[in-house]
Amino acid sequence: MREVELAIIGGGSAGLSAAVSAYDAGVRDIVILEKGPFLGGILNQCIHNGFGLTEFKEELTGPEFAARFIAQAKERNIEYHLNSAVSSLTKDKVLSYMNPEEGAVQIKAKAVVMAAGCYERSAGAIAIPGDRPAGILTAGQAQKFLNEQGYMVGKRVFILGSGDIGLIMARRMTLEGAKVLGVAELCAWSNGLNRNMVQCLYDYDIPLYLSHTVSRCEGKGRLERVIISEVDERKQPIPGTEKVFDCDTLVLSIGLLPNNDLLNNLGIPQGRSRGSEVNEKFETSIPGIFSAGNVLHVHDLVDNVVEEARVAGKAAAEYILGTSEEVENDITVVPGNMIGYVVPAKVSSKGDDKVSVKFRVREPSKNVYIVYELNGKQIKKVFKPVIIPSEMEIQALPKSLFNGESGTLTVSLIKKEEVK
Amino acid sequence: MRELICICCPRGCRLTVDDDLNVTGNFCPRGVAYGKSEVTNPTRVVTSTVRIEGSDLAMCPVKTSEPIKKGNIFKCMEEINKIHLVAPVHIGDVIIHNVCGEEGIDVIATRNMEKL
């Protein structure tokens, strides 16, 4: 069996960044396994702009951002295989993959970076009542058809879910001549970035129906209409609030799920983000198996993905080269009041550096403090006039705050008036 | 006075622009420029795709090199939709010069499309 030092699962933004970072830290024997026909992953179909403001200090489109990382990997002659889906991974880091050139292959790696991104929640997952005609597809599918293959997916379109890809597709299909009738969002708030609300919906007068869902699809062969209803506080449709939209297409933008089966199958504990639990070096409970990017937790910004993967790639290199220091990850980080999830799950109390804590709140809040407590003692608080679930929070905590103490670090959201 | 959401980057700062074009609520200087332009002459970068022959995909993504006038967006799409490319095309290649007659603003390719 071929042996390599580092195997990277996924050749998108996270995989490329981890590979480049590991190379620059001294590892040469790297293999990237990409299931699609191109490097760059989902960025290739995200033709809109807004990528790279932190990483490159300029505003790029998705394919442009991808091209820069592809170039960095190619300059370093990092080996990659396309059309190569990894079908299994063992605790001993044996990977099985398959592609048209090599057939079925097994390789054994000293370290693995999981960077397989996420997939879209589909129509089946939410079981919309009614017919099952053609014309119901996810926002990412619509994006791929339109932006890479040049197929218009519909003429009269309704969108369920106000996630960013849904909003971006609302604009994109409008520009290509479709009539986008509206966007229904189950929550009482938008789940997209503010800038996308403005430049994708407001600019084109596309109505947003908050606290609404599609309660029925109707059509023989092709979708003919959707019926939307207002929902109550338990998110159940309220009878008598139905609105009918005649449309041929329903685009779903109802969430992304980490594509993390390979690590889940190894019994690595899962966090509330549905990615694996990792420490501050993005290493899982199995030494030498790392995870970064959207497979760990869904990011808003690719700039944050490549930064996270850079840390994971460097840590993987240190593991391979034997230069990583033995540290005990003696602090468990847990989400407290109103916090959806926190990454990483484990950190070390030792060291004089900073640890980057990332999390999302469960619902929009105003005039709150984010409070960090170690074993019940407040060690830091940060005031936020506005905080929303669609924007990931990132806080660098200096380890000096831990004072060498191990235990449980809780991140909570507390109303201004309740904070001591 | 107008309240705006800055669209310069995904941060989405909540801006206030007063009658004398003073901008507050911005995180970076781009917010000041956006706030002023949005109340006087709103502009947008347009991104789209054009047909391409001879490469591994049917479409080549493109963008305007600078933001164009908001009122020109659909006219820009009409110009973009008339174009057919032949591979190879590289990032930054100019597809349309002075789009919609806006001096110095081009439509450029945003993906390397190699010849098969």
Side-chain angles (χ1 to χ4, degrees), chain A residues 159 165-175 178 180 183 200-201 204 206:
Chain A
I159 297 178
I165 322 169
L167 301 180
I168 280 160
M169 286 312 292
R171 171 180 61 184
R172 182 80 189 104
M173 289 184 289
T174 303
L175 287 178
V180 179
V183 177
C200 297
L201 297 189
Y204 300 96
I206 298 169

Side-chain angles (χ1 to χ4, degrees), chain A residues 34-37 80-85 97-105:
Chain A
E34 164 55 44
K35 82 175 172 189
Y80 62 91
H81 297 279
L82 303 175
N83 303 306
S84 302
Y97 70 92
M98 209 187 284
N99 66 42
E101 284 77 38
E102 298 174 280
V105 185

Side-chain angles (χ1 to χ4, degrees), chain B residues 51-71:
Chain B
R51 293 263 160 211
I52 183 163
E53 280 169 45
S55 196
D56 29 23
L57 290 170
M59 308 306 286
C60 173
V62 298
K63 70 174 180 184
T64 56
S65 57
E66 298 287 332
I68 61 167
K69 289 192 181 77
K70 220 170 129 180

